[in-house]
Amino acid sequence: MFTTQTYQRRREALKKEVKNGVILLLGNIENPINFEHNTYPFRQDSTLLYYLGIQEPKLAVILDIDEDKTILFGDELSMDEIIWMGRQETLKEKSIKVGIEETRPHAQLATYLQKVEASKRVVHYLPPYQSANKILLSNLLKIPIAQLLPSVTLIKAIVQQRSIKEEEEIVHIEEAIRVSNEMHLLAMRMAKPGIKEHEIANAIQHLAADQECTMAYPPIVTINGGILHNHYRLHTLQSGDLFLNDSGAENVMGYAGDITRTFPVDKTFTPKQRDIYNVVLHAFTTAREALKPGIRFKDIHLHACLALTEGLIDLGLMKGNPKEAVNAHAHTLFFQCGLGHMMGLDVHDMEDLGEQYVGYTDAEPKDTKTFGLKSLRLGKELQEGYVLTVEPGFYIIPELIDMWRSQGKNSTFINYDKVNEYRDFGGVRIEDNFLITANGYRLLGPELIKTVEEIENYRANY
Ligand code: GLY
Ligand code: MN
Ligand code: MN
């Protein structure tokens, strides 16, 4: 946990920004898998973690700005629960540690909100994503779920605050990345013909669990790297395959790492694999070197797309003028998604609050129509203190190739005959995590091997 002062300071800053009314923050509940008492692992809501730090289900916090009160609503364990779960720190004890003196039973939340409603004061709340919280909010505020109206003022204030990472948060993010990197090195040592994807996935999760970490997201551990979020893990690795590992740890404080490495199942890259890998690596370093405050991430994305396109023209997969090709979005046949996203307490940080607020501004909203750009989660100008991923890729999706070809789409920029030689290539992604600093960027976590030579040298030993 952070210090009492940290949580108090964060809450005070939020109240100051929102200015008036009542802020209602809901924690997560435990979700049943197949019956009520058999639940999925509990994960606290990240905003609640940020302002409260308490990892316990069914909490709600009221920050009453007008009356200058902070109240934690939640229930102490009943004797029945103590019998089954043992004595634990009480909610009261936990709440004092994070600087909240007043706790009340969860059931009293409704009464409090009724009084707020009676006095015609505004209740600021966030978009709920758990079904239970949708229902709870709907009942508390007497508004049908479909008509709930989250507070844009509150969303914007939280996004502004959580986007600028504090030094003590960076420590935890780097801890998560350190463990993530160990997971990646283990995968590089294990991958060889005959082993199954899930054996590697299990081993890296075990490694993380040994260091008190969970997964920040379901790991993508696959020989089908062309499938962007591939969670199938029953393939056996074979000579000639490329292997893509996109996995990141979440540390005890809830902070994420999000790292991807791609390498051949054999000890060395084939010439074809090496060429594509180096094109993606060039796009990666081009993007990385452009990171600094004041530059729009959308421009860095397009810059990386240009680097990728130039490389693919050199290899004969694309043709024509690279700038014109990028303007026509022809590169999206191979790079269908965005260059990166914010990262912090969530792997896609604050995605529950809305991409239009986290990654974009009112003045420059997200392009939700254009293929490629519609999947770019972060477009806005970077600021010192942002933590983000850079993750260019090259993905072969045969169905997409066939569709474009049949439509003659971008045939001035795509060499379809050559592309057909890559139909079973799979995909390459390279992903690291960065902090935006006053003058540029800092790689977060220890440097993890990345070049063809580094990877081949490392794998030669195993
Ligand atoms: N691991 C998911 C992503 O890279 O966005
Ligand atoms: Mn990733
Ligand atoms: Mn990512």
Side-chain angles (χ1 to χ4, degrees), residues 217-218 220 229 246-247 258-260 341 347-348 377 389 391 429 431:
Y217 51 94
I220 301 163
H229 279 176
D246 180 349
S247 54
D258 183 8
I259 304 289
T260 307
H341 50 85
V347 60
H348 295 168
R377 295 187 162 93
T389 70
E391 49 181 306
R429 172 161 67 254
E431 177 174 24

mmCIF file of all heavy atoms in Angstrom, residues 217-218 220 229 246-247 258-260 341 347-348 377 389 391 429 431, ligand 1:
data_model
loop_
_atom_site.group_PDB
_atom_site.id
_atom_site.type_symbol
_atom_site.label_atom_id
_atom_site.label_comp_id
_atom_site.label_asym_id
_atom_site.label_seq_id
_atom_site.Cartn_x
_atom_site.Cartn_y
_atom_site.Cartn_z
ATOM 1 N N TYR A 217 -3.223 -9.476 -18.041
ATOM 2 C CA TYR A 217 -4.213 -9.812 -19.083
ATOM 3 C C TYR A 217 -3.923 -11.254 -19.482
ATOM 4 O O TYR A 217 -2.832 -11.763 -19.198
ATOM 5 C CB TYR A 217 -4.099 -8.866 -20.301
ATOM 6 C CG TYR A 217 -2.695 -8.752 -20.825
ATOM 7 C CD1 TYR A 217 -2.240 -9.569 -21.872
ATOM 8 C CD2 TYR A 217 -1.783 -7.870 -20.259
ATOM 9 C CE1 TYR A 217 -0.933 -9.486 -22.328
ATOM 10 C CE2 TYR A 217 -0.476 -7.797 -20.712
ATOM 11 C CZ TYR A 217 -0.064 -8.605 -21.746
ATOM 12 O OH TYR A 217 1.240 -8.537 -22.177
ATOM 13 N N PRO A 218 -4.856 -11.928 -20.126
ATOM 14 C CA PRO A 218 -4.577 -13.310 -20.524
ATOM 15 C C PRO A 218 -3.404 -13.346 -21.512
ATOM 16 O O PRO A 218 -3.458 -12.689 -22.568
ATOM 17 C CB PRO A 218 -5.872 -13.763 -21.211
ATOM 18 C CG PRO A 218 -6.916 -12.807 -20.732
ATOM 19 C CD PRO A 218 -6.207 -11.495 -20.489
ATOM 20 N N ILE A 220 -0.830 -13.948 -24.437
ATOM 21 C CA ILE A 220 -0.945 -14.411 -25.823
ATOM 22 C C ILE A 220 0.362 -15.141 -26.113
ATOM 23 O O ILE A 220 1.420 -14.525 -26.213
ATOM 24 C CB ILE A 220 -1.134 -13.211 -26.771
ATOM 25 C CG1 ILE A 220 -2.401 -12.437 -26.391
ATOM 26 C CG2 ILE A 220 -1.176 -13.664 -28.233
ATOM 27 C CD1 ILE A 220 -2.469 -11.032 -26.976
ATOM 28 N N HIS A 229 -5.259 -11.022 -30.873
ATOM 29 C CA HIS A 229 -5.418 -11.440 -29.471
ATOM 30 C C HIS A 229 -5.760 -12.927 -29.440
ATOM 31 O O HIS A 229 -6.872 -13.316 -29.128
ATOM 32 C CB HIS A 229 -6.503 -10.606 -28.768
ATOM 33 C CG HIS A 229 -5.994 -9.270 -28.318
ATOM 34 N ND1 HIS A 229 -6.786 -8.317 -27.741
ATOM 35 C CD2 HIS A 229 -4.743 -8.735 -28.347
ATOM 36 C CE1 HIS A 229 -6.052 -7.243 -27.445
ATOM 37 N NE2 HIS A 229 -4.813 -7.480 -27.812
ATOM 38 N N ASP A 246 3.057 -12.330 -25.967
ATOM 39 C CA ASP A 246 2.618 -11.028 -25.459
ATOM 40 C C ASP A 246 2.071 -11.291 -24.079
ATOM 41 O O ASP A 246 0.956 -11.771 -23.915
ATOM 42 C CB ASP A 246 1.541 -10.446 -26.386
ATOM 43 C CG ASP A 246 1.021 -9.083 -25.915
ATOM 44 O OD1 ASP A 246 1.333 -8.683 -24.774
ATOM 45 O OD2 ASP A 246 0.298 -8.436 -26.693
ATOM 46 N N SER A 247 2.902 -11.021 -23.062
ATOM 47 C CA SER A 247 2.448 -11.314 -21.705
ATOM 48 C C SER A 247 3.046 -10.312 -20.735
ATOM 49 O O SER A 247 4.146 -9.791 -20.945
ATOM 50 C CB SER A 247 2.833 -12.738 -21.306
ATOM 51 O OG SER A 247 4.215 -12.946 -21.475
ATOM 52 N N ASP A 258 3.397 -4.867 -19.920
ATOM 53 C CA ASP A 258 2.788 -5.342 -21.173
ATOM 54 C C ASP A 258 3.894 -5.435 -22.224
ATOM 55 O O ASP A 258 4.214 -4.436 -22.874
ATOM 56 C CB ASP A 258 1.685 -4.359 -21.598
ATOM 57 C CG ASP A 258 0.956 -4.809 -22.854
ATOM 58 O OD1 ASP A 258 1.201 -5.943 -23.313
ATOM 59 O OD2 ASP A 258 0.142 -4.016 -23.368
ATOM 60 N N ILE A 259 4.462 -6.610 -22.348
ATOM 61 C CA ILE A 259 5.666 -6.796 -23.163
ATOM 62 C C ILE A 259 5.397 -7.852 -24.238
ATOM 63 O O ILE A 259 4.760 -8.871 -23.953
ATOM 64 C CB ILE A 259 6.841 -7.291 -22.266
ATOM 65 C CG1 ILE A 259 7.085 -6.330 -21.095
ATOM 66 C CG2 ILE A 259 8.115 -7.514 -23.083
ATOM 67 C CD1 ILE A 259 7.682 -4.988 -21.465
ATOM 68 N N THR A 260 5.904 -7.611 -25.441
ATOM 69 C CA THR A 260 5.825 -8.637 -26.489
ATOM 70 C C THR A 260 7.201 -8.877 -27.107
ATOM 71 O O THR A 260 7.927 -7.924 -27.393
ATOM 72 C CB THR A 260 4.861 -8.225 -27.622
ATOM 73 O OG1 THR A 260 3.605 -7.873 -27.059
ATOM 74 C CG2 THR A 260 4.660 -9.369 -28.616
ATOM 75 N N HIS A 341 -0.824 2.182 -26.280
ATOM 76 C CA HIS A 341 -1.884 2.640 -25.378
ATOM 77 C C HIS A 341 -1.278 3.026 -24.047
ATOM 78 O O HIS A 341 -0.138 2.672 -23.743
ATOM 79 C CB HIS A 341 -2.912 1.514 -25.179
ATOM 80 C CG HIS A 341 -2.284 0.190 -24.813
ATOM 81 N ND1 HIS A 341 -1.958 -0.134 -23.516
ATOM 82 C CD2 HIS A 341 -1.881 -0.867 -25.570
ATOM 83 C CE1 HIS A 341 -1.399 -1.344 -23.496
ATOM 84 N NE2 HIS A 341 -1.328 -1.811 -24.721
ATOM 85 N N VAL A 347 -3.890 -2.652 -17.848
ATOM 86 C CA VAL A 347 -2.967 -2.795 -18.973
ATOM 87 C C VAL A 347 -3.325 -1.795 -20.069
ATOM 88 O O VAL A 347 -2.433 -1.151 -20.635
ATOM 89 C CB VAL A 347 -2.891 -4.256 -19.463
ATOM 90 C CG1 VAL A 347 -4.238 -4.769 -19.936
ATOM 91 C CG2 VAL A 347 -1.882 -4.370 -20.578
ATOM 92 N N HIS A 348 -4.597 -1.669 -20.378
ATOM 93 C CA HIS A 348 -5.070 -0.540 -21.211
ATOM 94 C C HIS A 348 -5.619 0.455 -20.204
ATOM 95 O O HIS A 348 -6.781 0.377 -19.821
ATOM 96 C CB HIS A 348 -6.184 -0.973 -22.177
ATOM 97 C CG HIS A 348 -5.731 -1.953 -23.216
ATOM 98 N ND1 HIS A 348 -6.614 -2.634 -24.006
ATOM 99 C CD2 HIS A 348 -4.501 -2.356 -23.592
ATOM 100 C CE1 HIS A 348 -5.939 -3.418 -24.836
ATOM 101 N NE2 HIS A 348 -4.656 -3.272 -24.599
ATOM 102 N N ARG A 377 -5.714 3.334 -29.705
ATOM 103 C CA ARG A 377 -6.316 3.707 -28.417
ATOM 104 C C ARG A 377 -5.817 5.044 -27.890
ATOM 105 O O ARG A 377 -6.447 5.648 -27.030
ATOM 106 C CB ARG A 377 -6.012 2.628 -27.379
ATOM 107 C CG ARG A 377 -6.647 1.304 -27.686
ATOM 108 C CD ARG A 377 -6.461 0.324 -26.541
ATOM 109 N NE ARG A 377 -7.409 -0.758 -26.667
ATOM 110 C CZ ARG A 377 -7.151 -1.900 -27.288
ATOM 111 N NH1 ARG A 377 -5.964 -2.116 -27.803
ATOM 112 N NH2 ARG A 377 -8.070 -2.838 -27.384
ATOM 113 N N THR A 389 2.648 2.102 -24.048
ATOM 114 C CA THR A 389 3.322 1.026 -24.773
ATOM 115 C C THR A 389 3.628 1.500 -26.190
ATOM 116 O O THR A 389 2.926 2.353 -26.738
ATOM 117 C CB THR A 389 2.460 -0.242 -24.892
ATOM 118 O OG1 THR A 389 1.368 0.022 -25.789
ATOM 119 C CG2 THR A 389 1.901 -0.691 -23.550
ATOM 120 N N GLU A 391 4.131 -0.678 -29.678
ATOM 121 C CA GLU A 391 3.985 -2.067 -30.104
ATOM 122 C C GLU A 391 3.594 -2.210 -31.569
ATOM 123 O O GLU A 391 2.498 -2.674 -31.891
ATOM 124 C CB GLU A 391 2.970 -2.795 -29.219
ATOM 125 C CG GLU A 391 1.648 -2.063 -29.017
ATOM 126 C CD GLU A 391 0.702 -2.847 -28.106
ATOM 127 O OE1 GLU A 391 0.443 -4.024 -28.413
ATOM 128 O OE2 GLU A 391 0.215 -2.278 -27.115
ATOM 129 N N ARG A 429 5.270 -8.988 -33.441
ATOM 130 C CA ARG A 429 5.015 -7.766 -32.662
ATOM 131 C C ARG A 429 6.190 -7.596 -31.704
ATOM 132 O O ARG A 429 6.714 -8.584 -31.184
ATOM 133 C CB ARG A 429 3.686 -7.862 -31.889
ATOM 134 C CG ARG A 429 3.451 -6.726 -30.911
ATOM 135 C CD ARG A 429 1.979 -6.554 -30.504
ATOM 136 N NE ARG A 429 1.411 -7.625 -29.721
ATOM 137 C CZ ARG A 429 0.551 -8.515 -30.186
ATOM 138 N NH1 ARG A 429 0.165 -8.479 -31.440
ATOM 139 N NH2 ARG A 429 0.073 -9.468 -29.400
ATOM 140 N N GLU A 431 7.038 -5.159 -28.337
ATOM 141 C CA GLU A 431 6.354 -4.217 -27.439
ATOM 142 C C GLU A 431 7.168 -3.972 -26.187
ATOM 143 O O GLU A 431 7.596 -4.906 -25.506
ATOM 144 C CB GLU A 431 4.976 -4.805 -27.055
ATOM 145 C CG GLU A 431 4.202 -3.947 -26.065
ATOM 146 C CD GLU A 431 2.786 -4.457 -25.803
ATOM 147 O OE1 GLU A 431 2.534 -5.658 -26.000
ATOM 148 O OE2 GLU A 431 1.939 -3.638 -25.397
HETATM 149 N N1 GLY B 1 -1.499 -7.174 -24.411
HETATM 150 C C1 GLY B 1 -2.484 -6.497 -25.112
HETATM 151 C C2 GLY B 1 -1.926 -5.340 -25.781
HETATM 152 O O1 GLY B 1 -0.761 -5.341 -26.098
HETATM 153 O O2 GLY B 1 -2.572 -4.367 -25.979
#
